[in-house]
Amino acid sequence: MTSVPYKIEMQNVAKSFGPKNVLNGIDLQVPAGKSLVIIGGSGTGKSVTLKCILGLITPDSGTIKIDGEDTSFVSGDERDRIMRKFGMLFQGGALFDSLPVWQNVAFGLIHGKQIDKKQAKNIAIEKLDAVGLGAQVADLFPAELSGGMQKRVSLARAIATSPEIIFFDEPTTGLDPIMADVINDLIVKCVKDLGATALSITHDMASARKIADYIAMIHQGKIIWFGSVSELDHSNNPYVDQFIHGRATGPITEKAEYTTRRA
Amino acid sequence: MSQSPAPSKNIFDPVLNICAVIGASVLNMLASIGTLTAFAGRSITHAFSLPFFVSNLGRQMMNIGYYSLPVVGMTALFTGMVLALQSYTGFTRFNAESAIAAVVVLSITRELAPVLTGLMVAGRVGAAIAAEIGTMRVTEQIDALTTLSVNPYKYLIVPRVIAGTLCLPLLVLVADIIGVFGGYLVSIHVLDFSPSNYLYQTWDVLTTNDVVSGLTKAAVFGFLVTLMGCYHGFNSARGAQGVGAATTNSVVSSSILILIFNYILTQVFFS
Ligand SMILES: Nc1ncnc2c1ncn2[C@@H]1O[C@H](COP(=O)(O)OP(=O)(O)OP(=O)(O)O)[C@@H](O)[C@H]1O
Ligand SMILES: [Mg+2]
């Protein structure tokens, strides 16, 4: 085993959907108690990477270790035990639309941790408050909320059980700039105060700079750059430079055009 | 086609093509029977291990059992009525009107109540289950369950399948009574039979086996309908189209399975 305590290690993870190679050998290490942000173009496989770690998608090859434990062949109760370490904010929210907001937030507490309903509701209202939602939304149904509010409920659900590892798939997309900053602070707080390990995906560079200890850039199913936030602005990597400055021309778009023309 | 450079190598080519198509669809069918069996096996195993979501079971029993009562009741009532009317018009030719009560009660309890209830529930409940679980699949709610360490089989599938298996026999029992009552109504008020005679003939011909076989069929149909709804929803393709297809497939496949298993079970019970 390595001396550095990596919470998550991915080695050469590959995944295709039919003829489409989405991940082409991802190598990524997330140190315990740190916040890693993955950046990269739309459709490059960022969400798929998270789902592979969670075991929601089975990779075609490669190994994924959580706390040094290979998760490739675990299932059933073992997997449930590993899952208990995770909280996940899905890109689309994925709220249970048959349950009111507070039961969504308290779901992991009630069913995963067997906390009684009354106490779970109090914790849920506390967490809703942390994401800037008042107690009056607690009894509404997800369909009655705006997109940004749903995102925040989903965030509250992801952190409600105070998991060791939290995944945030585009936590600030669809939020106004002020609320986005509230969420950034919340994520930082989860990592600093609770000692959680965070793995986030974002397109919002301001948010990335704020929440990240490390940044990884994914392009065409591979990690093409990894470094600390301070190194981001002088990475000498033309892909990273194009991405963080949001330029329409550069190596990323050239390659993309090349592949679409060929397809 | 007329431009093909070489003439057909073999006059059997079209036949072989048809064989290939049939072969491919048979293989497909075997593959889906395999995945379906695995799905059913997993659902059953999860039904026998904790945790068990009692409140979900209660909600599903309400949904599948209680809310199906009106449609099942209407179906049974009119089926019993038409059965009496049809047998009367047929049997008067042979002076066999006295057999009407027997025809009504036996066809209702053995065949019509279970099969028609099964089909109605396939349309009402099976479709709704497939649409609901399919939407949950497409919007990643099933993935979310897993990340919250709740097994989706235990939370979603097991309560529905158990509710279906328990509720259908109850629904069929109600349908039996209402169906016989429908036949009675027509016989008494339209065909001018004597009530006591009709009821006596009904009771006289009915055996426990008739009712039990119907209720057993109902339990099997309830299992099939909910299982197919869950299976198609759980494996729904992405997007609204995927959910639509899941719904259709669930209704079609459970209806066909009901008819097939109805034959098999009849053979088992009455031969
Ligand atoms: N279940 C699936 N079946 C088939 N293809 C999939 C599936 N999930 C993802 N893909 C494909 O994999 C590719 C990467 O998807 P992914 O959701 O990881 O993108 P992303 O990097 O998160 O993009 P975005 O920033 O837009 O969210 C996409 O082209 C998508 O079409
Ligand atoms: Mg994504």
Side-chain angles (χ1 to χ4, degrees):
Chain A
M1 288 245 309
T2 45
S3 56
V4 191
Y6 288 128
K7 203 74 181 168
I8 303 167
E9 287 179 81
M10 301 180 82
Q11 274 161 12
N12 208 15
V13 172
K15 177 70 192 177
S16 314
F17 291 105
K20 188 172 184 175
N21 300 328
V22 178
L23 304 183
N24 297 310
I26 295 267
D27 289 297
L28 188 66
Q29 280 93 26
V30 189
K34 297 288 179 192
S35 170
L36 175 81
V37 168
I38 301 179
I39 57 173
S42 195
T44 47
K46 302 184 297 296
S47 300
V48 170
T49 305
L50 293 195
K51 287 182 192 166
C52 283
I53 300 174
L54 290 167
L56 299 173
I57 293 177
T58 315
D60 300 332
S61 61
T63 52
I64 297 171
K65 290 183 186 167
I66 316 284
D67 283 325
E69 188 180 357
D70 193 338
T71 59
S72 313
F73 301 105
V74 297
S75 58
D77 291 348
E78 263 311 81
R79 179 159 287 284
D80 284 352
R81 184 180 58 74
I82 294 173
M83 279 309 210
R84 257 176 252 279
K85 297 181 184 178
F86 286 95
M88 163 88 181
L89 163 67
F90 285 86
Q91 189 171 359
L95 292 174
F96 305 124
D97 40 28
S98 58
L99 298 178
V101 164
W102 79 265
Q103 283 195 28
N104 265 283
V105 178
F107 198 89
L109 297 169
I110 296 172
H111 298 299
K113 297 205 158 178
Q114 266 79 33
I115 292 176
D116 76 64
K117 273 202 166 180
K118 214 172 201 154
Q119 200 186 341
K121 185 166 187 175
N122 289 335
I123 299 176
I125 288 174
E126 215 171 276
K127 299 290 173 185
L128 284 171
D129 186 56
V131 296
L133 292 170
Q136 72 277 5
V137 302
D139 292 310
L140 299 178
F141 280 87
E144 297 172 279
L145 304 180
S146 76
M149 289 163 92
Q150 288 180 7
K151 192 111 210 183
R152 285 185 276 156
V153 172
S154 193
L155 187 78
R157 183 177 70 181
I159 60 172
T161 52
S162 313
E164 293 172 41
I165 308 170
I166 319 180
F167 289 176
F168 300 103
D169 197 344
E170 308 200 2
T172 56
T173 311
L175 302 182
D176 66 76
I178 298 167
M179 197 41 75
D181 208 46
V182 171
I183 299 304
N184 289 338
D185 285 340
L186 184 69
I187 293 174
V188 172
K189 199 170 140 227
C190 284
V191 177
K192 294 272 167 351
D193 295 2
L194 307 176
T197 306
L199 180 51
S200 322
I201 294 172
T202 188
H203 294 297
D204 172 356
M205 289 316 297
S207 165
R209 285 170 203 279
K210 187 150 189 183
I211 62 180
D213 294 313
Y214 300 100
I215 292 194
M217 170 136 180
I218 186 171
H219 182 62
Q220 295 193 333
K222 271 189 152 63
I223 302 291
I224 56 160
W225 187 80
F226 182 94
S228 64
V229 199
S230 51
E231 296 168 321
L232 187 64
D233 288 311
H234 24 84
S235 63
N236 287 330
N237 184 314
Y239 292 91
V240 175
D241 281 340
Q242 188 194 348
F243 192 85
I244 64 175
H245 296 111
R247 295 192 198 104
T249 52
I252 298 175
T253 31
E254 274 164 28
K255 269 276 167 51
E257 263 172 29
Y258 171 68
T259 44
T260 44
R261 214 180 299 136
R262 226 178 30 160
Chain B
M1 285 195 349
S2 56
Q3 295 234 315
S4 69
S8 189
K9 291 165 222 119
N10 189 329
I11 53 161
F12 293 115
D13 265 3
V15 180
L16 288 178
N17 280 340
I18 292 174
C19 289
V21 170
I22 294 174
S25 55
V26 167
L27 284 181
N28 249 336
M29 200 178 78
L30 290 179
S32 15
I33 290 177
T35 51
L36 176 63
T37 314
F39 183 85
R42 221 167 298 145
S43 309
I44 293 171
T45 342
H46 280 295
F48 289 104
S49 62
L50 292 173
F52 187 78
F53 291 93
V54 181
S55 63
N56 286 13
L57 176 66
R59 197 171 325 135
Q60 292 306 326
M61 288 190 73
M62 274 306 268
N63 213 351
I64 297 173
Y66 187 70
Y67 291 116
S68 294
L69 274 175
V71 61
V72 167
M74 289 298 275
T75 311
L77 182 70
F78 283 100
T79 307
M81 285 165 66
V82 84
L83 214 51
L85 206 56
Q86 281 285 16
S87 352
Y88 180 76
T89 50
F91 288 172
T92 41
R93 290 185 220 157
F94 317 104
N95 293 321
E97 296 97 325
S98 57
I100 291 179
V103 167
V104 170
V105 71
L106 291 186
S107 359
I108 290 279
T109 52
R110 287 181 176 196
E111 287 296 328
L112 293 173
V115 171
L116 292 179
T117 304
L119 294 177
M120 295 313 273
V121 171
R124 205 192 84 83
V125 175
I129 289 178
E132 188 181 358
I133 295 186
T135 307
M136 291 187 75
R137 164 63 73 202
V138 170
T139 56
E140 300 179 320
Q141 292 178 51
I142 295 183
D143 290 344
L145 276 178
T146 313
T147 64
L148 292 163
S149 10
V150 169
N151 187 307
Y153 281 89
K154 288 194 166 75
Y155 189 77
L156 296 174
I157 315 280
V158 169
R160 284 172 171 78
V161 174
I162 292 185
T165 314
L166 293 182
C167 284
L168 261 260
L170 298 177
L171 281 173
V172 167
L173 199 60
V174 173
D176 284 348
I177 295 165
I178 296 181
V180 169
F181 177 69
Y184 172 86
L185 279 185
V186 169
S187 305
I188 306 308
H189 296 290
V190 182
L191 311 174
D192 288 330
F193 279 47
S194 113
S196 57
N197 235 352
Y198 187 91
L199 287 180
Y200 172 75
Q201 283 167 356
T202 299
W203 197 246
D204 194 41
V205 74
L206 190 65
T207 63
T208 320
N209 197 23
D210 298 321
V211 179
V212 169
S213 72
L215 299 187
T216 312
K217 282 179 177 182
V220 173
F221 298 165
F223 176 79
L224 289 173
V225 166
T226 43
L227 184 76
M228 294 313 281
C230 291
Y231 171 75
H232 287 288
F234 209 75
N235 295 302
S236 167
R238 308 168 99 198
Q241 225 167 11
V243 177
T247 312
T248 312
N249 289 340
S250 116
V251 176
V252 171
S253 58
S254 51
S255 304
I256 290 175
L257 282 178
I258 285 176
L259 298 175
I260 294 174
F261 272 81
N262 183 45
Y263 179 80
I264 296 173
L265 291 170
T266 308
Q267 182 110 40
V268 170
F269 271 103
F270 298 104
S271 65

